[in-house]
Amino acid sequence: MTIADSGFMMENGGSCLPYTPEQEKQIVDDLMNKSESNLREGNLYYVVSNRWFTSWQRYIGQGNREYPINRHFPDPQHLDVVPSKTVERPGPIDNSDIVLNGNGFEGDDLEILRTLEEGRDYVLVPREVWEKLFDWYKGGPALPRKMISQGITHKKFMVEIYRLCLKLTDSRDNSQSIIRLSKKASVHELYGMVCTLKAIEQEKARLWDYFNKQKQTILIASNRTLEESTLQMDQDWVHLCVLHLQILLEVQQDGYWPSGFGMDSTGNELALVPMEPPRSSVSIAGGPTLSNGYSTVQTSNLYRGSALGSTFTDMEDGYDGLRSVAKGDRGGLAGLQNLGNTCFMNSAIQCLVHTPPIVEYFLQDYTEEINKQNPLGMNGELALAFGELLRKLWSSGRTPVAPRAFKGKLARFAPQFSGYNQHDSQELLAFLLDGLHEDLNRVKQKPYIETKDSNGRPDVEVADECWRNHKARNDSLIVDVCQGQYKSTLVCPVCSKISITFDPFMYLSLPLPSTVTRIMTVTVFYGDGSGLPMPYTVTVLKHGYCKDLSQALAAACCLKSDENLLLAEVYEHRIFRYIDNPSELLTNIKDEERIVAYRLPKKRAGLTRLDIIHNCRQQCTPDSRKGDEKNFFGTPLVTYLGEDAQTGADIDIAVARLLSPLRRKPYPLLSKVHSVKENGSVSEDNPTNSCNTQYGSGNQSEYSTELEEMSRWDLSFHLSFTDERGSSREPIEKNSLIRPGQIIRVMLDWTDREHELYDASYLKDLPEVHKNGFTAKKTRPEAITLFSCLEAFLKEEPLGPQDMWYCPNCKEHRQATKKLDLWRLPDILVFHLKRFSYSRYLKNKLDTLVNFPIHNLDLSQYVKCKDAPSQSNVYELYAISNHYGGLGGGHYSAYAKLIDENRWYHFDDSHVSPVGESEIKTSAAYVLFYQRVKSAATPNGTGESSLGHASS
């Protein structure tokens, strides 16, 4: 049983807990630190429900003083906890809310819900921590998971939460079974599990990769992992259901394999496959390792089915060697099967495989270009897999292709794309272009080249030097056709040092300048008590910065030259956070939040800041002042104490000054002063300025003098020192000492007396930033042009605080200004439209229509290098990656132009259909692909520029 007050659990009526909450916390912290210093593949971790783990963290008091109030998600790093003495000890560990198949299973047999998110729904703890927690609390079920390494060239550790799920079909009776095991398990282990499950001898069993109800690849027992064998399929989120990767079991009977023929994925009859495959001089990535040695798959591990006596033929991605091939009739019109949330991959691939120079390159024999020595590459495997996929798509016919082998290679080299969650087509494109470059880099040994500063040299000289240095280390098809160069200029705001560099780029990520303004309401409070708080509604750019909001408020409230504004977010009558970063995006501030601005002096170095929160009491007595009663209300007040402020009396005076505009009667506090003075000569009935929100210097000076006189006797208010959450209190006495230059947080207790003297309504009902329904009707966003996006990308702007530049003159990091200019453009120019925005709590998509030219995009005026007059800067659009819908539930497709036909097609996964040129301009356009027009081919010798962008 649990005893709430003492925190002790009695067992068998006698023994008690051996550890206090503080000791439990220390033990777990030590074990966590030890585990983090010893990360290695194979370490065992346990999945624990965040619901239970949060209750345990509250119990041990973790985060009581270090973390802000969490009002969004139960993030274990931001827990709204109270001291452990007020929290009951949690019950047994309960993971029932994160498992799919209930409590009838244990450990490896349990399947964890697929929609969970680490930190929100579950946490991972090392084995040693789990053993301690289980020893203290019991419960379960235990959910052990192993740490695995992902990636080839850039390995990273991750805990395999969701294991590979295989659906086994027995060819004897078509019965089906589910097998779960790690993607790092070997094919030999898979055979062992299947043979144990079916009670058969391993020599009499063989397993097939069984995709689309066709036998694809036979698996031979070996130490090769399932991941390396491209067995990774296990779910299809498109239909929101689990789709298990299927394998087919065939059992030898009387020395013979089952008779009959199957059908392969290309529709050909599939005869029996011998256990020892025939040899061939042809090899491609993902297939058997034969004479050229470019594949990592061993002959004894895996081979593809084919007719007896034939060479290996494609059954999936069209692997037919590296010899030169020609485009098939009506080639380039095959779709790509959606393997489960892989529309993002299909969209990017279709754009690349319809890029003319890339098509021409991969249809030729590119064997000599493969770079297996590059440590930054992928042993040529990614280039081989992509090339063979392209060849299949450009072969004759329109049968959709399942890019399973390519997806497997992609997952091996880029673990972030493993599994079947939705991803970003531009992120995949960036990785793929970079990976293809490294696999095809003609430079086998990269020379060391020391970079030099411009030091006032001509731009042309510096740019050519940088480009030569880049080409000395990077020389590939991708560099030849996809990489350009831009000029970056940094200026130090202190010493005006100018630094100019020339850097390569593979695509341009363009921001979408917002044509929609945002209305924001912020309440301004006076930090010196010279006026009533006043809400101001200002209009700012929707995607502007906090400095824009401060500037608009400063103009609206007539901010003085010796003042500035301190923005803060108020939640539950306390300051949740100060918004003191001028470069913070306004998108981080949500409409339902409550924002205040405090007018404070500019020169406040060395002064003591005073934060005041309000607590309502019915009656204040000496006993109740020491109690824990809390009933927060109103808006916190902020001010600064004078340089000579040293005692609690100074805090009392500052509070009285801040509350002075809220007086119900003029100078009500003087009644107390009058009662204690020997000669009462002050009148309470002077009506002058009783309702004025702006106090003249005479009145304010007179009032300040009387406050100082009053402070000589006793404190006027019931004040306590507290923390930022108001969870602790220590009464402030008249002679309580304070240290200058720090932040003091004070709780002001309001009794009936304070409510009688001051009108607290001015502190209540803080308005939201934006209240729907009370503002003007929203207008439909206007279309913007590609040129305005490009100009926004090239405009000068200060670096963010997280991107400070180290100035070689100042020898310090400075928030320099940065200006980008295009210097040389590539033959293939890719524009990424930054439609997705991210704030603290949400992600958003901009559906603004961008008007982009289809023909004759002329960028001449943006290119600063004028020494190549023969090089055209006019481009034609040939492909678009589209994104429809919102985040999480969106869909990708592609528009691509067949250059030979001069006709556009819509590639929507497996479905390919013609589309009119007038239909391809939509608000779904996400990544735009342009090809340079040869100078002589430019129609009329002119292109569409930013000065005239008529609709194409």
Side-chain angles (χ1 to χ4, degrees):
M1 65 178 179
T2 301
I3 304 176
D5 292 336
S6 65
F8 289 105
M9 178 180 291
M10 307 302 294
E11 297 179 354
N12 300 324
S15 62
C16 61
L17 289 177
Y19 299 113
T20 65
E22 292 76 15
Q23 290 173 325
E24 285 189 15
K25 179 181 184 303
Q26 186 61 51
I27 292 172
V28 170
D29 286 347
D30 291 343
L31 291 175
M32 291 290 284
N33 293 332
K34 181 180 178 181
S35 173
E36 290 176 5
S37 64
N38 190 34
L39 291 179
R40 61 174 57 133
E41 189 170 8
N43 284 359
L44 199 61
Y45 285 76
Y46 283 77
V47 184
V48 180
S49 166
N50 194 57
R51 183 177 63 181
W52 182 89
F53 195 74
T54 298
S55 66
W56 176 76
Q57 287 191 303
R58 288 197 182 100
Y59 168 67
I60 64 172
Q62 183 169 330
N64 180 39
R65 295 179 182 272
E66 294 107 336
Y67 304 115
I69 305 164
N70 177 35
R71 54 202 170 104
H72 300 281
F73 303 111
D75 188 335
Q77 294 184 338
H78 297 83
L79 295 173
D80 182 11
V81 297
V82 293
S84 58
K85 65 180 181 180
T86 64
V87 177
E88 290 188 4
R89 189 175 192 273
I93 299 171
D94 183 7
N95 286 333
S96 61
D97 61 318
I98 61 173
V99 295
L100 182 64
N101 37 4
N103 296 322
F105 301 88
E106 185 70 24
D108 292 341
D109 293 327
L110 280 170
E111 185 174 356
I112 299 175
L113 291 170
R114 290 277 175 169
T115 56
L116 304 184
E117 180 181 325
E118 184 178 359
R120 184 192 69 185
D121 303 299
Y122 69 86
V123 296
L124 293 170
V125 299
R127 177 180 58 83
E128 296 81 4
V129 172
W130 166 261
E131 290 174 351
K132 285 294 182 184
L133 292 175
F134 184 78
D135 183 48
W136 296 334
Y137 294 93
K138 300 299 185 282
L143 301 172
R145 295 294 185 265
K146 285 186 178 181
M147 175 174 282
I148 62 174
S149 64
Q150 289 283 84
I152 302 297
T153 57
H154 305 286
K155 289 185 178 292
K156 68 175 184 179
F157 291 120
M158 63 176 292
V159 177
E160 189 178 29
I161 302 298
Y162 301 106
R163 293 161 298 150
L164 196 61
C165 202
L166 305 177
K167 180 181 288 185
L168 174 68
T169 301
D170 193 330
S171 63
R172 296 173 295 180
D173 55 7
N174 287 327
S175 62
Q176 294 183 333
S177 308
I178 301 299
I179 297 176
R180 296 185 181 91
L181 71 173
S182 171
K183 66 180 70 173
K184 295 293 184 179
S186 66
V187 179
H188 182 81
E189 290 178 77
L190 174 62
Y191 265 88
M193 292 184 67
V194 170
C195 293
T196 300
L197 178 67
K198 294 295 183 177
I200 56 178
E201 297 178 12
Q202 185 166 318
E203 293 75 15
K204 296 183 178 182
R206 68 180 180 185
L207 297 175
W208 288 86
D209 177 2
Y210 195 56
F211 180 71
N212 278 351
K213 298 183 179 180
Q214 305 292 337
K215 291 188 285 188
Q216 304 286 332
T217 305
I218 193 169
L219 306 175
I220 304 301
S222 69
N223 290 327
R224 185 171 183 79
T225 68
L226 301 181
E227 180 184 43
E228 292 169 338
S229 302
T230 324
L231 293 180
Q232 301 184 55
M233 220 79 52
D234 72 339
Q235 55 179 319
D236 182 356
W237 287 105
V238 175
H239 303 292
L240 297 179
C241 65
V242 174
L243 175 64
H244 303 91
L245 174 63
Q246 297 195 35
I247 53 177
L248 178 69
L249 168 66
E250 292 182 338
V251 180
Q252 192 179 58
Q253 296 179 356
D254 299 327
Y256 295 95
W257 294 109
S259 60
F261 292 89
M263 301 291 291
D264 69 10
S265 61
T266 59
N268 301 319
E269 279 196 333
L270 178 66
L272 298 180
V273 180
M275 295 299 292
E276 289 295 328
R279 297 280 175 166
S280 168
S281 62
V282 179
S283 174
I284 32 67
T289 295
L290 301 174
S291 62
N292 71 1
Y294 285 125
S295 173
T296 60
V297 184
Q298 300 300 320
T299 306
S300 59
N301 293 342
L302 174 151
Y303 61 88
R304 299 188 174 275
S306 66
L308 286 173
S310 71
T311 58
F312 288 98
T313 59
D314 165 64
M315 299 186 65
E316 179 191 328
D317 281 356
Y319 296 146
D320 53 6
L322 294 178
R323 67 184 184 277
S324 298
V325 296
K327 295 179 183 178
D329 296 334
R330 304 286 292 173
L333 293 179
L336 289 166
Q337 288 188 27
N338 192 317
L339 305 178
N341 265 345
T342 57
C343 58
F344 76 97
M345 181 182 75
N346 294 346
S347 173
I349 288 175
Q350 291 289 9
C351 291
L352 282 184
V353 300
H354 287 87
T355 299
I358 292 180
V359 174
E360 181 180 352
Y361 178 90
F362 280 102
L363 290 182
Q364 302 301 316
D365 185 352
Y366 54 96
T367 308
E368 297 300 324
E369 301 258 293
I370 297 294
N371 187 342
K372 293 191 64 178
Q373 303 173 26
N374 188 354
L376 299 178
M378 292 142 221
N379 301 319
E381 292 186 45
L382 185 67
L384 287 164
F386 174 80
E388 295 309 321
L389 179 57
L390 180 146
R391 292 174 175 221
K392 179 63 177 179
L393 292 171
W394 276 97
S395 63
S396 300
R398 302 181 64 168
T399 302
V401 175
R404 298 173 71 235
F406 176 80
K407 176 71 168 63
K409 297 295 182 186
L410 182 69
R412 285 187 63 206
F413 293 108
Q416 65 269 31
F417 297 115
S418 62
Y420 294 88
N421 293 323
Q422 184 68 280
H423 292 281
D424 189 311
S425 68
Q426 186 272 333
E427 291 179 0
L428 173 69
L429 177 70
F431 167 80
L432 189 51
L433 286 175
D434 187 62
L436 290 175
H437 157 66
E438 297 295 354
D439 269 4
L440 300 173
N441 196 348
R442 304 176 185 109
V443 180
K444 300 301 190 287
Q445 296 293 332
K446 295 186 178 183
Y448 171 77
I449 300 175
E450 186 175 352
T451 57
K452 301 177 183 178
D453 199 358
S454 58
N455 288 328
R457 291 182 293 161
D459 284 350
V460 174
E461 177 185 338
V462 179
D464 288 345
E465 178 185 88
C466 291
W467 189 249
R468 286 194 304 271
N469 292 343
H470 176 64
K471 289 277 288 183
R473 295 172 55 85
N474 303 276
D475 185 16
S476 70
L477 164 75
I478 305 302
V479 176
D480 294 342
V481 302
C482 295
Q483 288 195 357
Q485 187 182 36
Y486 62 73
K487 173 186 175 183
S488 174
T489 305
L490 291 171
V491 180
C492 177
V494 177
C495 71
S496 299
K497 163 70 177 176
I498 298 177
S499 175
I500 297 176
T501 58
F502 291 85
D503 301 302
F505 68 84
M506 201 139 47
Y507 52 87
L508 298 176
S509 291
L510 307 184
L512 272 61
S514 176
T515 58
V516 181
T517 56
R518 180 183 182 185
I519 297 175
M520 301 183 72
T521 299
V522 177
T523 304
V524 177
F525 286 79
Y526 287 83
D528 60 0
S530 61
L532 288 169
M534 181 69 65
Y536 291 91
T537 299
V538 295
T539 301
V540 293
L541 286 177
K542 186 176 182 181
H543 299 282
Y545 299 91
C546 288
K547 64 180 180 181
D548 302 323
L549 176 59
S550 295
Q551 291 171 358
L553 288 172
C557 71
C558 301
L559 194 69
K560 298 176 183 178
S561 60
D562 61 346
E563 294 179 313
N564 63 8
L565 295 174
L566 176 61
L567 299 175
E569 178 185 344
V570 174
Y571 177 73
E572 289 188 349
H573 313 295
R574 286 160 287 183
I575 294 176
F576 179 70
R577 68 179 183 115
Y578 285 104
I579 309 173
D580 50 6
N581 178 9
S583 299
E584 181 174 346
L585 293 173
L586 288 178
T587 51
N588 287 350
I589 301 177
K590 298 191 295 183
D591 285 346
E592 62 269 23
E593 292 176 347
R594 289 172 168 82
I595 304 298
V596 297
Y598 299 102
R599 300 179 62 150
L600 300 170
K602 279 186 178 179
K603 298 180 180 180
R604 48 180 188 259
L607 300 181
T608 300
R609 194 181 80 200
L610 183 65
D611 294 1
I612 305 165
I613 60 176
H614 309 278
N615 185 44
C616 183
R617 291 180 179 273
Q618 295 301 319
Q619 185 176 3
C620 187
T621 66
D623 292 336
S624 65
R625 285 181 62 185
K626 298 179 181 179
D628 289 329
E629 177 187 350
K630 297 183 184 69
N631 186 16
F632 301 124
F633 78 99
T635 306
L637 301 175
V638 176
T639 188
Y640 277 86
L641 302 178
E643 294 182 0
D644 56 348
Q646 296 180 346
T647 67
D650 297 306
I651 296 178
D652 190 74
I653 293 174
V655 172
R657 184 177 291 111
L658 285 178
L659 295 181
S660 62
L662 311 183
R663 298 192 308 271
R664 294 184 184 274
K665 295 180 181 180
Y667 306 110
L669 290 180
L670 298 187
S671 58
K672 179 173 181 179
V673 178
H674 178 76
S675 65
V676 297
K677 285 187 176 181
E678 293 182 358
N679 52 353
S681 59
V682 180
S683 169
E684 297 180 19
D685 301 323
N686 183 1
T688 305
N689 292 330
S690 60
C691 296
N692 194 348
T693 61
Q694 299 291 335
Y695 293 89
S697 59
N699 249 351
Q700 194 67 17
S701 176
E702 179 183 355
Y703 184 65
S704 297
T705 302
E706 292 170 356
L707 287 174
E708 294 173 3
E709 178 71 17
M710 174 188 66
S711 67
R712 296 179 184 177
W713 302 93
D714 198 2
L715 297 184
S716 306
F717 303 99
H718 304 292
L719 302 171
S720 303
F721 292 116
T722 188
D723 56 22
E724 60 184 6
R725 302 181 56 235
S727 59
S728 64
R729 56 192 304 155
E730 177 185 344
I732 298 177
E733 305 296 342
K734 176 182 177 181
N735 297 321
S736 298
L737 296 178
I738 58 175
R739 291 182 299 175
Q742 62 178 353
I743 300 174
I744 297 178
R745 297 177 177 87
V746 170
M747 185 187 302
L748 168 60
D749 287 324
W750 286 65
T751 64
D752 293 340
R753 174 180 172 277
E754 279 74 28
H755 283 290
E756 180 182 349
L757 296 176
Y758 300 98
D759 186 354
S761 64
Y762 291 104
L763 302 175
K764 300 177 180 179
D765 302 324
L766 196 64
E768 296 177 354
V769 168
H770 179 74
K771 190 73 172 179
N772 291 326
F774 290 94
T775 58
K777 182 175 64 175
K778 291 184 178 179
T779 58
R780 183 178 179 180
E782 298 178 2
I784 58 178
T785 68
L786 181 64
F787 297 103
S788 62
C789 296
L790 180 58
E791 288 161 2
F793 171 75
L794 297 175
K795 75 175 182 179
E796 184 179 17
E797 61 182 3
L799 296 175
Q802 68 277 10
D803 298 318
M804 302 281 274
W805 171 62
Y806 183 80
C807 176
N809 277 4
C810 300
K811 307 298 183 184
E812 290 186 23
H813 286 88
R814 301 293 189 191
Q815 194 169 358
T817 57
K818 183 176 183 178
K819 174 72 171 70
L820 295 178
D821 292 294
L822 300 180
W823 189 258
R824 57 164 48 93
L825 298 179
D827 290 341
I828 299 299
L829 183 57
V830 180
F831 290 109
H832 163 226
L833 304 179
K834 297 172 69 174
R835 293 193 176 277
F836 301 114
S837 61
Y838 304 90
S839 64
R840 284 186 299 155
Y841 309 120
L842 53 85
K843 301 176 182 179
N844 186 36
K845 183 192 174 187
L846 305 176
D847 287 315
T848 307
L849 175 65
V850 177
N851 187 11
F852 50 87
I854 298 176
H855 303 288
N856 305 329
L857 169 65
D858 190 356
L859 300 174
S860 300
Q861 65 169 314
Y862 299 104
V863 180
K864 298 303 179 182
C865 178
K866 306 300 181 183
D867 288 359
S870 61
Q871 189 84 293
S872 168
N873 291 316
V874 179
Y875 289 82
E876 294 277 316
L877 184 73
Y878 71 88
I880 306 172
S881 176
N882 299 305
H883 181 271
Y884 301 91
L887 289 168
H891 178 64
Y892 287 92
S893 71
Y895 291 131
K897 183 179 182 179
L898 262 65
I899 305 299
D900 296 341
E901 294 185 16
N902 193 30
R903 187 175 185 182
W904 285 87
Y905 287 88
H906 184 208
F907 294 85
D908 186 4
D909 290 333
S910 301
H911 308 286
V912 181
S913 58
V915 63
E917 186 174 273
S918 60
E919 302 176 55
I920 65 175
K921 281 190 181 182
T922 70
S923 59
Y926 183 45
V927 185
L928 307 174
F929 294 77
Y930 284 89
Q931 183 177 20
R932 190 196 302 275
V933 176
K934 304 300 181 182
S935 298
T938 305
N940 302 324
T942 61
E944 185 175 334
S945 70
S946 63
L947 300 179
H949 36 270
S951 177
S952 296

